[in-house]
Every structure is written in C-alpha cells, then in structure tokens.
Coordinates of all heavy atoms in Angstrom, one line a residue:
L1 N 42.9 -84.3 38.1 CA 44.1 -84.2 37.3 C 43.7 -84.1 35.7 O 42.8 -84.8 35.3 CB 45.0 -85.3 37.5 CG 45.9 -85.1 38.8 CD1 46.5 -86.4 39.2 CD2 46.9 -84.0 38.6
K2 N 44.4 -83.3 35.0 CA 44.3 -83.2 33.5 C 45.5 -83.6 32.8 O 46.6 -83.5 33.5 CB 43.9 -81.7 33.3 CG 42.7 -81.1 34.1 CD 42.7 -79.6 33.8 CE 41.6 -79.0 34.7 NZ 41.5 -77.5 34.5
P3 N 45.4 -83.9 31.6 CA 46.7 -84.3 30.9 C 47.7 -83.2 31.0 O 49.0 -83.5 31.0 CB 46.2 -84.5 29.4 CG 44.8 -85.0 29.7 CD 44.2 -84.2 30.8
E4 N 47.3 -81.9 31.0 CA 48.3 -80.9 31.0 C 49.0 -80.8 32.4 O 49.9 -79.9 32.6 CB 47.6 -79.5 30.7 CG 46.4 -79.2 31.5 CD 45.1 -79.5 30.8 OE1 45.1 -80.7 30.1 OE2 44.2 -78.8 30.8
D5 N 48.6 -81.6 33.4 CA 49.3 -81.5 34.7 C 50.5 -82.5 34.6 O 51.2 -82.6 35.6 CB 48.3 -82.0 35.8 CG 47.2 -81.0 36.0 OD1 47.6 -79.8 36.1 OD2 46.1 -81.4 36.3
T6 N 50.6 -83.2 33.5 CA 51.7 -84.2 33.4 C 53.1 -83.4 33.5 O 53.3 -82.5 32.7 CB 51.7 -84.9 32.1 OG1 50.5 -85.7 32.0 CG2 52.9 -85.8 31.8
A7 N 53.9 -83.8 34.5 CA 55.2 -83.1 34.7 C 55.9 -83.9 35.8 O 55.4 -84.8 36.4 CB 54.9 -81.7 35.2
V8 N 57.2 -83.5 35.9 CA 57.9 -83.9 37.1 C 57.6 -82.8 38.2 O 57.8 -81.7 38.0 CB 59.4 -84.0 36.9 CG1 60.2 -84.4 38.1 CG2 59.7 -85.0 35.8
Y9 N 57.2 -83.3 39.4 CA 56.9 -82.4 40.5 C 58.1 -82.4 41.5 O 58.5 -83.5 41.9 CB 55.6 -82.8 41.2 CG 54.4 -82.5 40.3 CD1 54.2 -83.1 39.1 CD2 53.5 -81.5 40.7 CE1 53.0 -82.8 38.4 CE2 52.4 -81.1 40.0 CZ 52.2 -81.8 38.8 OH 51.1 -81.4 38.0
Y10 N 58.5 -81.2 41.9 CA 59.6 -81.1 42.7 C 59.2 -80.4 44.0 O 58.4 -79.4 44.0 CB 60.7 -80.2 42.0 CG 61.3 -80.8 40.8 CD1 60.8 -80.5 39.6 CD2 62.5 -81.6 40.9 CE1 61.4 -81.0 38.4 CE2 63.1 -82.1 39.8 CZ 62.5 -81.8 38.5 OH 63.1 -82.4 37.4
C11 N 59.8 -80.9 45.1 CA 59.6 -80.3 46.4 C 60.9 -79.5 46.7 O 62.0 -79.9 46.3 CB 59.5 -81.4 47.5 SG 59.2 -80.8 49.1
A12 N 60.7 -78.4 47.3 CA 61.8 -77.5 47.6 C 61.7 -76.8 49.0 O 60.5 -76.6 49.4 CB 61.9 -76.4 46.5
A13 N 62.8 -76.4 49.5 CA 62.9 -75.8 50.8 C 63.6 -74.5 50.8 O 64.5 -74.3 50.0 CB 63.5 -76.7 51.8
T14 N 63.1 -73.5 51.6 CA 63.7 -72.2 51.7 C 64.5 -72.1 52.9 O 64.5 -73.0 53.8 CB 62.7 -71.0 51.7 OG1 62.1 -71.0 53.0 CG2 61.7 -71.3 50.6
N15 N 65.2 -71.0 53.1 CA 65.9 -70.7 54.4 C 65.0 -69.7 55.1 O 65.6 -69.0 56.0 CB 67.3 -70.1 54.1 CG 68.3 -71.2 53.8 OD1 68.2 -72.3 54.3 ND2 69.2 -70.9 52.9
R16 N 63.8 -69.6 54.8 CA 62.9 -68.6 55.5 C 61.7 -69.4 56.1 O 61.5 -70.5 55.8 CB 62.3 -67.7 54.4 CG 63.4 -66.9 53.7 CD 62.9 -66.2 52.5 NE 63.9 -65.4 51.7 CZ 64.7 -66.0 50.9 NH1 64.6 -67.3 50.6 NH2 65.7 -65.3 50.3
I17 N 61.1 -68.7 57.1 CA 60.0 -69.3 57.7 C 58.6 -68.9 57.0 O 57.6 -69.6 57.1 CB 59.9 -69.0 59.2 CG1 59.8 -67.5 59.4 CG2 61.2 -69.5 59.9 CD1 59.6 -67.1 60.9
G18 N 58.6 -67.8 56.4 CA 57.4 -67.2 55.9 C 57.4 -67.2 54.4 O 58.3 -67.5 53.7
L19 N 56.2 -66.7 53.9 CA 56.0 -66.6 52.4 C 55.9 -65.1 52.1 O 55.5 -64.2 52.9 CB 54.7 -67.2 52.1 CG 54.6 -68.8 52.3 CD1 53.2 -69.3 51.9 CD2 55.7 -69.6 51.7
S20 N 56.3 -64.9 50.9 CA 56.1 -63.5 50.2 C 55.9 -63.9 48.7 O 56.0 -65.0 48.3 CB 57.3 -62.7 50.4 OG 58.4 -63.2 49.7
D21 N 55.7 -62.8 47.9 CA 55.6 -63.0 46.5 C 56.8 -63.7 45.9 O 56.8 -64.4 45.0 CB 55.3 -61.7 45.8 CG 53.9 -61.2 46.1 OD1 53.0 -62.0 46.4 OD2 53.7 -60.0 45.8
Y22 N 57.9 -63.4 46.6 CA 59.2 -64.1 46.2 C 59.1 -65.6 46.2 O 59.8 -66.2 45.5 CB 60.3 -63.5 47.0 CG 61.7 -63.9 46.6 CD1 62.2 -63.6 45.3 CD2 62.6 -64.5 47.5 CE1 63.5 -64.0 45.0 CE2 63.9 -64.9 47.1 CZ 64.4 -64.6 45.9 OH 65.6 -64.9 45.5
S23 N 58.2 -66.1 47.1 CA 58.1 -67.5 47.3 C 57.5 -68.3 46.1 O 57.6 -69.5 46.0 CB 57.2 -67.8 48.4 OG 57.7 -67.2 49.6
R24 N 57.1 -67.5 45.1 CA 56.5 -68.0 43.9 C 57.7 -68.2 42.8 O 57.4 -68.7 41.7 CB 55.5 -67.1 43.3 CG 54.2 -67.0 44.2 CD 53.2 -65.9 43.6 NE 52.1 -65.8 44.5 CZ 51.0 -66.5 44.5 NH1 50.9 -67.5 43.6 NH2 50.0 -66.3 45.3
T25 N 58.8 -67.9 43.2 CA 59.9 -68.0 42.2 C 61.0 -69.0 42.6 O 61.1 -69.3 43.9 CB 60.7 -66.6 42.1 OG1 61.5 -66.4 43.3 CG2 59.7 -65.5 41.9
E26 N 61.6 -69.7 41.7 CA 62.6 -70.6 42.0 C 63.8 -70.1 42.9 O 64.3 -70.8 43.7 CB 63.2 -71.3 40.7 CG 62.3 -72.1 39.9 CD 63.0 -72.6 38.7 OE1 63.9 -73.4 38.9 OE2 62.6 -72.3 37.5
R27 N 64.1 -68.9 42.7 CA 65.2 -68.2 43.4 C 65.0 -68.2 44.9 O 66.0 -68.1 45.6 CB 65.5 -66.8 42.9 CG 65.9 -66.8 41.4 CD 66.3 -65.3 41.0 NE 65.2 -64.4 41.2 CZ 64.1 -64.2 40.4 NH1 64.1 -64.9 39.3 NH2 63.2 -63.4 40.7
A28 N 63.8 -68.3 45.3 CA 63.5 -68.3 46.8 C 63.9 -69.6 47.5 O 64.0 -69.6 48.7 CB 62.1 -68.0 47.0

C-alpha cells in the first residue's frame, strides 16, 4: 500500500454474471 491508496473502498454488485469493459464503470 501507498499513501495514494488512501480512500474509502466500496464493494458493489451487478445484475450480470459476467464481465465486460462496462464493468469498469459505476453504471454497471
């Protein structure tokens, strides 16, 4: 870990089973 990793870390769930490039966005 580095000081620039300081943040609030959030877990999130989708309504999909797989990944796509869209999975890199909050909207997914």
Side-chain angles (χ1 to χ4, degrees):
L1 283 164
K2 307 172 184 179
E4 52 264 40
D5 293 317
T6 294
V8 178
Y9 284 69
Y10 295 92
C11 183
T14 74
N15 282 325
R16 302 167 181 81
I17 60 173
L19 300 180
S20 67
D21 286 343
Y22 187 56
S23 304
R24 298 177 182 272
T25 72
E26 291 184 63
R27 295 185 302 276

